[in-house]
Amino acid sequence: MERNPIVQMKNVTKKIGPKTIIDDLTLDIYRGEVFGFLGPNGAGKTTTIRLMAGLIELTDGDILINGHSIQKNFEKAIAHVGGIIENPEMYKFMSGYDNLVHYARMFPEKISQERIDEVVRLVGMEKRIHEKVKSYSLGMRQRLGLAQALLHSPSLLILDEPTNGLDPAGIREVRNYLRNIAHEQNIAVFVSSHLLSEIQLMCDRVGIIQNGKLISVESVSNLVENREYVAVRIETEPVQKTYELLKQSYPDKKVTITDQAIQMEAKREDLPDINKLLVTNGIAVYEIMSNKGTLEEKFLEMTGGNIDV
């Protein structure tokens, strides 16, 4: 992955009247990565996306896309951007292919038939591209929207809720296509979504915004693995004796019995001591399994328990 950022947000601020919507946001996004953008409702996600896409003006700071300032050289900057900010709108009476041809004519630089065929392949629509859009499922229309956004070979692809309304199979398809597009085309994919489990599977890094401020930018693996406490499931015999011993030995920890197993939260480094305690007291230990946690759990920790993203 190239370490020259394709997007540089520098002290980005957006105010509406006296209210600060985005507060001094600084962030770099790189080619070849899928970057997830998370935050509670009203945190500033949509405003940030609209600023990146040039749909609203900055109050202060700047956004550089492929080295071009949105403030000073808007046309050159925005020429590197593709995206689906709302649901993709197509002419339903036309075929998917004819929609792409029609859209390609809008660009000042000629888009070749070879490029149209390439993006059709990228989104896996070779078999259905010549059918009318009105026959497409929502997932197919999302894929056609992706093809449209990729036509002019952008360096940055911005997607707001790309899996909204899709069934599990459609969600998985879009997730796989986005990862392939980022890596095959070596572009930056910026995704905002409320499906935290999907962001965890799809993205390389995530940024979390709250009250207009960027509070964290980390790799997904670091966020879900570097947790002080982990959820632990312990299978033993006898279970009741295990429960009483752990409650007595760890009075500050929540210990429960679920499905004939013990559930508790502990530091990872405590696990050998827990095992030793149980064995020493004549308890048969069949399994101690720790859960490294999920992006959802980390998000809740960092935003004070607000899951409404």
Side-chain angles (χ1 to χ4, degrees):
M1 185 188 299
E2 293 181 20
R3 300 316 293 172
N4 293 326
I6 200 67
V7 180
Q8 295 171 278
M9 299 189 208
K10 298 183 175 183
N11 308 108
V12 170
T13 298
K14 177 63 180 178
K15 295 181 179 180
I16 298 178
K19 186 175 182 180
T20 300
I21 310 299
I22 303 297
D23 190 358
D24 199 35
L25 189 154
T26 295
L27 173 66
D28 288 346
I29 303 167
Y30 300 94
R31 284 186 181 274
E33 74 169 340
V34 183
F35 186 93
F37 199 51
L38 305 174
N41 276 348
K45 299 190 303 297
T46 299
T47 301
T48 303
I49 286 172
R50 290 182 175 278
L51 289 168
M52 290 173 67
L55 298 175
I56 55 176
E57 292 184 1
L58 293 156
T59 302
D60 202 0
D62 202 357
I63 299 174
L64 273 63
I65 300 174
N66 213 22
H68 301 292
S69 164
I70 275 189
Q71 294 275 66
K72 299 173 184 174
N73 203 337
F74 178 81
E75 287 190 8
K76 281 193 174 180
I78 217 67
H80 295 279
V81 179
I84 305 175
I85 308 302
E86 305 290 346
N87 289 330
E89 292 296 331
M90 305 290 173
Y91 293 106
K92 294 182 174 63
F93 64 91
M94 292 167 58
S95 71
Y97 193 85
D98 287 341
N99 267 276
L100 293 179
V101 170
H102 177 71
Y103 187 71
R105 293 193 188 110
M106 299 180 188
F107 289 94
E109 295 183 8
K110 181 177 174 58
I111 293 174
S112 67
Q113 183 177 335
E114 288 75 16
R115 177 59 184 170
I116 296 174
D117 293 339
E118 182 183 10
V119 297
V120 168
R121 178 191 62 79
L122 276 173
V123 300
M125 288 193 65
E126 300 98 316
K127 294 180 179 179
R128 301 284 305 276
I129 194 64
H130 293 290
E131 297 176 19
K132 286 185 168 51
V133 171
K134 65 182 179 183
S135 70
Y136 288 176
S137 65
L138 178 58
M140 293 292 293
R141 291 199 299 274
Q142 285 288 85
R143 282 198 262 165
L144 185 60
L146 279 176
Q148 176 180 292
L150 290 166
L151 268 180
H152 63 296
S153 302
S155 303
L156 169 67
L157 184 62
I158 302 174
L159 303 169
D160 191 9
E161 301 289 354
T163 58
N164 197 24
L166 299 182
D167 61 18
I171 289 171
R172 183 175 62 183
E173 281 184 3
V174 170
R175 178 213 313 156
N176 291 337
Y177 289 130
L178 291 180
R179 290 196 63 81
N180 289 338
I181 286 164
H183 299 150
E184 280 191 35
Q185 301 290 292
N186 196 32
I187 67 175
V189 179
F190 184 97
V191 180
S192 173
S193 175
H194 68 283
L195 296 177
L196 299 184
S197 59
E198 275 308 305
I199 289 289
Q200 183 172 340
L201 291 170
M202 184 191 306
C203 297
D204 302 293
R205 289 193 303 147
V206 295
I208 298 176
I209 188 172
Q210 187 171 32
N211 298 323
K213 284 186 171 290
L214 193 65
I215 62 173
S216 175
V217 179
E218 289 190 58
S219 71
V220 171
S221 58
N222 281 346
L223 271 175
V224 299
E225 292 177 9
N226 294 344
R227 304 176 70 230
E228 184 178 4
Y229 289 92
V230 293
V232 181
R233 186 177 188 274
I234 307 171
E235 288 189 20
T236 62
E237 182 65 38
V239 175
Q240 187 62 36
K241 182 180 177 182
T242 304
Y243 172 75
E244 292 168 0
L245 183 60
L246 290 173
K247 286 286 287 185
Q248 179 184 351
S249 302
Y250 296 91
D252 58 329
K253 301 288 192 301
K254 184 179 179 181
V255 182
T256 58
I257 299 178
T258 307
D259 297 328
Q260 295 303 303
I262 302 296
Q263 303 278 354
M264 69 180 293
E265 194 171 69
K267 291 183 178 180
R268 191 169 180 81
E269 55 265 32
D270 290 338
L271 300 187
D273 292 335
I274 291 172
N275 184 59
K276 183 178 179 181
L277 172 72
L278 298 178
V279 172
T280 302
N281 282 273
I283 292 171
V285 179
Y286 297 107
E287 184 176 63
I288 298 180
M289 184 169 62
S290 65
N291 177 4
K292 292 180 179 179
T294 64
L295 182 59
E296 179 178 297
E297 291 167 344
K298 187 66 177 179
F299 178 83
L300 290 170
E301 286 178 17
M302 299 181 74
T303 59
N306 190 342
I307 193 61
D308 190 7
V309 296

